[in-house]
Amino acid sequence: MSKTTMVSPRRAAAAGFFGGAIEFYDFFIYGTAAAIVLNALFFSGLSPAVGTLAAFATLAVGYIVRPLGAVVFGHIGDKYGRKNALMGTLMTMGGATVLIGILPTTAVMGDWAAILLILLRVVQGLGLGGEMGNAATLSMESSPEKKRGFYTSFTYSGGFVGMVLATGAFALVTMLPKEDYMAWGWRLPFLFSGVLLVITYLVRRQIPETPASEQVRAEGKIEKFPIIQVARKHKKDVLLATIIATGPNTVFYTVAVFGISFAVSKYGVAQTTMLALVSISSALLAFSVPLWGKLSDRMGRRKLIIIGLIAEALFTFVYFMLLGTADPVLILLGMLLVLCFGHGIVNGIQAALFTELFPIEVRASAVSLGQQLGGAISGFGPLVAAAIIVANPEGWYLVALYAGGLCLLGAVAAAFTVARWGKQEAIAFEETLKAANASPRVTENGAAAPIR
């Protein structure tokens, strides 16, 4: 390379953190709005039940298109750079969310309002599909080998912070008088995404491309369509990544989405109480994820993620048993066990584990595809759980068996993973670090400031 380009591991982690926060904030505020307001404003010509079903159908569309987003933005990440892909996912998701916030309702536009809402939800799903894989890849290639677990975990940690922000945003606007809330208050959480978009853009604008990615692209080692190479040479590892990702995501959606409605309808727990418990648990989960990532740098990824997957499966049963007590303290305990000591372990390790499964030439495409295939499958978790309860109202243990069983399947898949790649990036990182520190930056007081 003609000049030293160095991205700080901390800045790369910050870029992943803020990106994960805005992407999942945007994704979850739509889910919340679908449950409480979109049916009345965009599907008003239907019965309340059918309108709610239609609103949730648009929610499902976002999950279905995520693998397509993984292919599109994974291609951009491999062919044109991780940073370019991440700027694209940011503008795609953030722009679509802000547009939903200003979208006229059916009362103004008629059927076009619902059509445009669905199209914007598709755009949201495309953006999210390319975010996590590219962010994890950028962070991994910008980190020293012995600290990859820690730095890459912030991508997932940011996602849980985004969920807390989404829940909090709607909790605030629902305090408005109902007339104001239905007229304009529901738009505020969507418009607030514009603020998060600007902050994340400013953070990402300062991030250069990773040295290893620049090098392989300069040497012409990237195929015309990296996804074809993924399908030809790396389909086994993509399948393993998909299976590993499916179980934990299913548990999370079952606990954080289905669990709320189940606790309210079955055990009489107040909805506001359940939302508060999910927010508290998600905030602590976000804090725990980097700690587990750091531990994986010492213990190794495979052993620890297998432990996490088994723990998540077992704690899912504990959570549903404690949910039956209708005691908020015990319910919170169950959530903390399954999320912080099961889901947190898995999410603290996934980013580093997945990125080390694939070579740099196809890494963004392969990691994104494996993650988002798992995300698309697990997005139907609440629907499956609801169907189980409709067939057997006392069948909470079947829901736990379904979600927990997928985690155990993930543990089996994790046992077959082999971290074959990453040495090349570690060498490139260390060489660039030495070169950058040979010509150190200068602080305001004139002291040399090595890159960290």
Side-chain angles (χ1 to χ4, degrees):
M1 291 174 286
S2 59
K3 62 179 181 178
T4 299
T5 57
M6 186 66 204
V7 54
S8 158
R10 294 177 183 176
R11 287 190 176 185
F17 178 86
F18 283 106
I22 184 175
E23 296 279 340
F24 277 88
Y25 171 84
D26 291 349
F27 208 72
F28 278 114
I29 59 170
Y30 187 96
T32 305
I36 60 179
V37 69
L38 294 184
N39 61 319
L41 296 175
F42 290 91
F43 304 98
S44 55
L46 305 173
S47 68
V50 176
T52 300
L53 181 61
F56 276 114
T58 64
L59 178 67
V61 166
Y63 289 101
I64 294 171
V65 300
R66 279 166 64 171
L68 178 59
V71 173
V72 172
F73 287 104
H75 176 84
I76 295 173
D78 286 326
K79 288 285 289 184
Y80 305 105
R82 304 3 176 160
K83 177 181 177 179
N84 289 329
L86 288 172
M87 296 302 275
T89 62
L90 176 64
M91 296 304 173
T92 300
M93 173 65 94
T97 304
V98 172
L99 287 175
I100 291 175
I102 63 174
L103 184 66
T105 63
T106 300
V108 177
M109 290 188 66
D111 293 341
W112 277 105
I115 293 171
L116 291 175
L117 179 67
I118 294 171
L119 290 176
L120 289 172
R121 180 58 177 175
V122 168
V123 174
Q124 277 193 323
L126 292 174
L128 184 60
E131 169 68 25
M132 304 302 283
N134 276 289
T137 296
L138 175 72
S139 188
M140 177 267 203
E141 293 170 0
S142 305
S143 304
E145 186 176 6
K146 294 183 180 180
K147 294 184 178 180
R148 280 182 187 157
F150 176 68
Y151 284 118
T152 58
S153 67
F154 281 92
T155 297
Y156 284 81
S157 178
F160 298 122
V161 170
M163 180 180 177
V164 174
L165 291 175
T167 305
F170 264 99
L172 289 175
V173 296
T174 51
M175 296 172 65
L176 292 168
K178 185 175 181 180
E179 295 77 11
D180 292 337
Y181 170 69
M182 295 296 291
W184 54 266
W186 69 271
R187 299 181 183 274
L188 297 181
F190 289 94
L191 296 177
F192 179 67
S193 175
V195 177
L196 297 178
L197 189 154
V198 171
I199 294 173
T200 307
Y201 171 79
L202 293 175
V203 172
R204 287 190 169 172
R205 188 179 63 174
Q206 306 299 322
I207 303 297
E209 188 55 62
T210 64
S213 175
E214 281 190 328
Q215 182 177 340
V216 295
R217 285 186 290 115
E219 294 173 353
K221 294 182 178 180
I222 308 297
E223 292 191 2
K224 185 176 181 179
F225 296 105
I227 193 66
I228 295 178
Q229 185 178 350
V230 172
R232 188 170 60 241
K233 297 182 179 180
H234 304 285
K235 52 183 174 292
K236 174 187 173 183
D237 286 327
V238 169
L239 177 61
L240 293 176
T242 299
I243 296 172
I244 293 170
T246 299
N249 286 334
T250 300
V251 168
F252 183 79
Y253 294 136
T254 301
V255 170
V257 179
F258 167 78
I260 293 176
S261 61
F262 185 61
V264 172
S265 61
K266 179 69 174 177
Y267 302 117
V269 183
Q271 185 178 42
T272 53
T273 298
M274 289 300 298
L275 287 172
L277 295 180
V278 170
S279 296
I280 293 170
S281 300
S282 297
L284 294 174
L285 170 59
F287 178 78
S288 73
V289 164
L291 300 180
W292 293 117
K294 188 171 185 177
L295 184 60
S296 77
D297 288 324
R298 298 183 179 183
M299 282 186 60
R301 322 256 189 249
R302 185 166 61 179
K303 180 192 301 183
L304 190 55
I305 200 170
I306 290 174
I307 293 173
L309 287 161
I310 294 173
E312 189 162 5
L314 296 176
F315 287 143
T316 300
F317 281 90
V318 175
Y319 166 72
F320 276 101
M321 286 191 290
L322 294 178
L323 195 63
T325 68
D327 185 331
V329 175
L330 293 178
I331 295 173
L332 178 61
L333 174 61
M335 283 187 182
L336 292 177
L337 287 174
V338 71
L339 295 182
C340 295
F341 294 95
H343 199 67
I345 297 176
V346 177
N347 281 268
I349 302 167
Q350 260 191 26
L353 176 69
F354 288 176
T355 53
E356 290 173 343
L357 291 177
F358 304 102
I360 189 170
E361 294 85 357
V362 299
R363 181 171 293 133
S365 296
V367 172
S368 297
L369 184 60
Q371 286 177 332
Q372 298 310 325
L373 285 172
I377 296 169
S378 60
F380 292 93
L383 181 62
V384 173
I388 291 173
I389 294 301
V390 168
N392 183 356
E394 304 300 325
W396 64 262
Y397 60 92
L398 296 175
V399 175
L401 182 63
Y402 158 69
L406 289 175
C407 284
L408 293 179
L409 186 61
V412 174
F416 290 93
T417 58
V418 178
R420 302 180 180 90
W421 308 96
K423 296 294 182 182
Q424 175 185 357
E425 294 81 346
I427 294 171
F429 175 86
E430 295 298 335
E431 289 179 349
T432 309
L433 180 62
K434 290 177 182 177
N437 285 332
S439 304
R441 298 168 296 162
V442 177
T443 62
E444 293 181 359
N445 62 8
I451 294 177
R452 301 182 185 279

